[in-house]
Amino acid sequence: MRIPLKFIWNAEKSEFVDIQAITTGRIEKLRTGYFSLTFAIDTGSSKSFISYEDSRRIKLIPESLPHVEYANLAGGRISLRETPPLSLFFRNDKMEVTRIKLDSFLVAMPANSNQKNISNVLGCPSILGLDFLCKTKSSLYVNPSSNITYIELV
């Protein structure tokens, strides 16, 4: 089953910008209701996470979640917090909703109150990294010349 992705190309500068997945999610235990998120696909990132700005927008308070580890991101340091089990819902290539249940997911927040660190972290998007592809036993297909990108679920 394929989940189509959005390949973003800057034609003016002839450069690649981003690959994005648009999803709806729900954290059952926190009763957040359904929320919409846009993730950047980052195969250089070993961790997937919801950005600090996105977490605040969906009324998820990262400060209330248990700290898991620190990581470096965009010239800043982040604290990764862990959510309870959550589900992400994607539209597949047949326009059917595909549900992916995860035991937990990470949420990023600034690790300290240094203003430069906060500015760097706040500008970062939510990320789907290699851990997401491994946990879901998925593969990523990208063909920029044909503008075809998708995640293949096994």
Side-chain angles (χ1 to χ4, degrees):
M1 182 175 314
R2 293 179 179 171
I3 298 171
L5 303 173
K6 186 175 182 182
F7 185 84
I8 302 172
W9 178 261
N10 183 337
E12 206 172 275
K13 295 183 179 180
S14 292
E15 66 184 17
F16 163 75
V17 178
D18 207 355
I19 298 174
Q20 295 181 338
I22 299 171
T23 182
T24 301
R26 182 164 186 246
I27 303 173
E28 285 83 4
K29 277 190 173 180
L30 299 182
R31 296 185 181 164
T32 58
Y34 290 94
F35 50 83
S36 177
L37 290 173
T38 300
F39 287 95
I41 309 298
D42 185 353
T43 58
S45 176
S46 60
K47 302 285 183 195
S48 298
F49 58 85
I50 298 170
S51 73
Y52 185 70
E53 289 175 312
D54 280 346
S55 70
R56 303 300 284 184
R57 183 178 55 79
I58 63 173
K59 308 225 181 325
L60 180 63
I61 312 300
E63 294 84 354
S64 68
L65 301 172
H67 169 79
V68 177
E69 64 183 287
Y70 290 104
N72 294 318
L73 174 74
R77 191 154 171 79
I78 58 173
S79 168
L80 293 171
R81 307 296 180 108
E82 190 173 50
T83 69
L86 100 151
S87 296
L88 294 176
F89 301 87
F90 296 89
R91 288 225 177 257
N92 64 25
D93 54 341
K94 296 179 176 127
M95 297 307 290
E96 301 163 337
V97 175
T98 300
R99 180 181 187 175
I100 297 176
K101 289 183 181 183
L102 300 167
D103 293 334
S104 65
F105 207 80
L106 297 174
V107 177
M109 64 176 284
N112 58 49
S113 58
N114 173 308
Q115 192 57 44
K116 183 178 180 207
N117 184 55
I118 292 171
S119 297
N120 288 342
V121 172
L122 291 183
C124 291
S126 294
I127 300 287
L128 284 183
L130 286 178
D131 63 330
F132 177 81
L133 296 174
C134 291
K135 285 179 189 174
T136 59
K137 297 183 174 123
S138 303
S139 57
L140 175 64
Y141 178 82
V142 180
N143 184 337
S145 61
S146 299
N147 197 21
I148 299 171
T149 57
Y150 57 85
I151 293 175
E152 181 95 42
L153 296 173
V154 182

